Amino acid sequence: MTKAQIVGWAHSPFGKLPEPDTQALMQSVVQDALVHAGVDHEAIDGIFVGVYNNGFSAQDFQAALVAMGDERFAHTPATRYENACATGSAALHGALDFIESGRGRIALVIGAEKMTATPTAEVGNILLSASYHHEEAHIAGGFAGVFGEIAERYFQTYGDRSYELAMIAAKNHANGVFNPYAQMRKDIGVDFCATVSDRNPTVAGPLRRTDCSLISDGAAAMIIADAETATQLKRAIAFRARTQANDLMALSRRDILEFRGASMAWQKALASADVNIMDLSLVETHDCFTIAELLEYEAMGLAKKGEGYRVIQEGITQKDGALPVNPSGGLKSKGHPIGATGVSMHVMAAMQLMGEAEQMQIPNANLAGVFNMGGAAVTNYVSILERVK
């Protein structure tokens, strides 16, 4: 079986953008991705689109919008994927499976979301659709309320870690200063993140505004090719491992303080790649809320259960630490346009491995981990990437 590789990419800014919809957002990155990979539109055998939507727009059938933005793709097979906040990674896996099955040689992956045109209160409720509505639709604060409950339970069990959450937020905002695509390029400091104020109010449970990712518009695209085709192109980033593991959606039916599906995905990926977590040069992880990054430290094996706070205290995940986590600024600073997030995270990791991350660059990066999850660690994707050209 041929292995698929990343051979090019493009990334829009994240934030409140002038593009009115996902059609325009996707159109803004497609041509740049083709140019970056050095391929023409005629070489694309399939298009894989990640858009969450679920109420952000009355227009759906998102896969067909690619050709509406660029009629050269009018007859190219296109399919849309949705898997909550891991929608982008789901589209990527669809493209990888397509290439590795031999059905095509080159694929286009696009992730996009238009969120800022929707009132903030409605955004929270739309995102709550990534939870188990039979039991969790009542949770105050929308999707932030779900993670607020997780944080509250964590504090009750292991002690108040509000300050460590502020350290995670401050780390990611400091990193985001150097990301030209980031929505919030401002180092706001630990003290601001740790203090409840008019500018940093409590949002849900113990979570403050600085503990929550941003409402964002944006798009990212990648070109995927089989290994043989990749040898003829300028860049090639291989998947040393890629895994997906799920868990039960209902919080009532699992231990919400153990991201078990995330842990399983990491264990499988590390075993498949024949490395341990500290062999990685960096990780881009899914910090939709700071409590999520803390729990992910434990899931990826950096700390025992209940001791994730030690990782940020000891500086392990700082940009100059033993394992930099979210040198891009993560979802916290870069932004979180749902369908684009998984694609964006892989682009950020690929840039590092190619030495093209400019001020974000981690010196001598040779292995990068990516963790993208949907819902409260319900669907979990891990990639371990390495440069092969």
Side-chain angles (χ1 to χ4, degrees):
M1 180 180 71
T2 184
K3 291 291 185 180
Q5 299 175 358
I6 302 168
V7 296
W9 52 82
H11 200 295
S12 80
F14 282 2
K16 188 171 184 178
L17 303 183
E19 286 82 0
D21 50 32
T22 53
Q23 177 180 323
L25 286 165
M26 289 189 284
Q27 186 177 358
S28 75
V29 293
V30 168
Q31 184 59 33
D32 287 347
L34 293 171
V35 170
H36 191 253
V39 300
D40 189 78
H41 74 280
E42 294 177 348
I44 302 299
D45 298 311
I47 301 171
F48 298 80
V49 174
V51 176
Y52 181 66
N53 197 9
N54 280 307
F56 286 122
S57 169
Q59 174 67 65
D60 222 327
F61 198 6
Q62 297 280 333
L65 294 178
V66 178
M68 292 301 297
D70 187 337
E71 292 188 12
R72 296 177 302 172
F73 293 114
H75 305 296
T76 307
T79 307
R80 181 269 190 95
Y81 288 74
E82 183 276 309
N83 216 5
C85 302
T87 287
S89 288
L92 171 59
H93 272 232
L96 295 171
D97 292 342
F98 174 76
I99 297 298
E100 293 179 357
S101 71
R103 293 176 56 209
R105 301 194 66 173
I106 303 179
L108 168 64
V109 181
I110 315 170
E113 210 73 57
K114 180 70 180 182
M115 301 173 70
T116 66
T118 302
T120 301
E122 290 183 33
V123 171
N125 289 328
I126 289 171
L127 296 181
L128 195 57
S129 64
S131 299
Y132 190 56
H133 257 234
H134 288 297
E135 298 180 5
E136 296 158 20
H138 69 283
I139 293 177
F143 198 56
V146 172
F147 280 86
E149 289 194 2
I150 292 172
E152 198 163 44
R153 183 82 62 84
Y154 192 93
F155 291 1
Q156 290 169 354
T157 305
Y158 300 117
D160 188 334
R161 297 301 171 193
S162 298
Y163 193 78
E164 286 78 10
L165 296 190
M167 293 176 72
I168 290 171
K171 167 183 71 72
N172 291 344
H173 279 291
N175 289 346
V177 169
F178 303 104
N179 185 346
Y181 304 108
Q183 180 169 355
M184 188 174 177
R185 300 181 65 187
K186 185 177 182 181
D187 185 351
I188 55 180
V190 178
D191 288 344
F192 178 83
C193 295
T195 304
V196 175
S197 65
D198 290 343
R199 294 175 62 202
N200 188 28
T202 299
V203 174
L207 299 181
R208 300 144 299 203
R209 180 177 290 165
T210 50
D211 292 307
C212 307
S213 58
L214 303 163
I215 296 170
S216 317
D217 308 331
M222 288 187 294
I223 308 297
I224 308 296
D226 63 53
E228 181 182 353
T229 301
T231 63
Q232 303 165 33
L233 301 173
K234 184 177 180 180
R235 300 170 182 83
I237 303 294
F239 289 78
R240 184 138 170 195
R242 64 178 177 100
T243 60
Q244 178 188 359
N246 272 45
D247 207 340
L248 291 169
M249 180 182 281
L251 298 180
S252 65
R253 295 174 62 182
R254 57 189 170 104
D255 180 358
I256 63 170
L257 302 186
E258 180 186 17
F259 278 14
R260 181 60 180 149
S263 178
M264 291 175 64
W266 269 110
Q267 290 171 20
K268 291 177 182 177
L270 292 168
S272 178
D274 194 24
V275 297
N276 65 56
I277 189 67
M278 297 308 296
D279 290 327
L280 303 182
S281 305
L282 67 129
V283 170
E284 287 289 335
T285 202
H286 193 101
D287 60 320
C288 50
F289 301 92
T290 53
I291 186 63
E293 181 165 329
L294 186 74
L295 284 164
E296 287 155 23
Y297 293 163
E298 299 173 13
M300 69 177 77
L302 290 177
K304 296 178 181 178
K305 190 175 179 181
E307 297 186 1
Y309 70 95
R310 295 181 183 273
V311 177
I312 190 68
Q313 280 185 348
E314 295 169 9
I316 292 169
T317 55
Q318 296 286 352
K319 190 175 179 181
D320 60 355
L323 180 62
V325 171
N326 286 333
S328 70
L331 285 57
K332 192 65 215 56
S333 172
K334 174 162 59 76
H336 184 23
I338 306 299
T341 290
V343 182
S344 168
M345 295 169 85
H346 284 84
V347 169
M348 293 293 119
M351 290 171 65
Q352 291 281 356
L353 296 174
M354 286 301 304
E356 297 177 4
E358 298 182 346
Q359 288 182 289
M360 295 183 286
Q361 188 67 50
I362 302 301
N364 305 312
N366 57 22
L367 280 177
V370 176
F371 172 72
N372 181 207
M373 73 179 183
V378 178
T379 186
N380 305 275
Y381 293 85
V382 172
S383 299
I384 297 178
L385 304 177
E386 63 181 344
R387 177 179 177 177
V388 293
K389 185 176 180 181

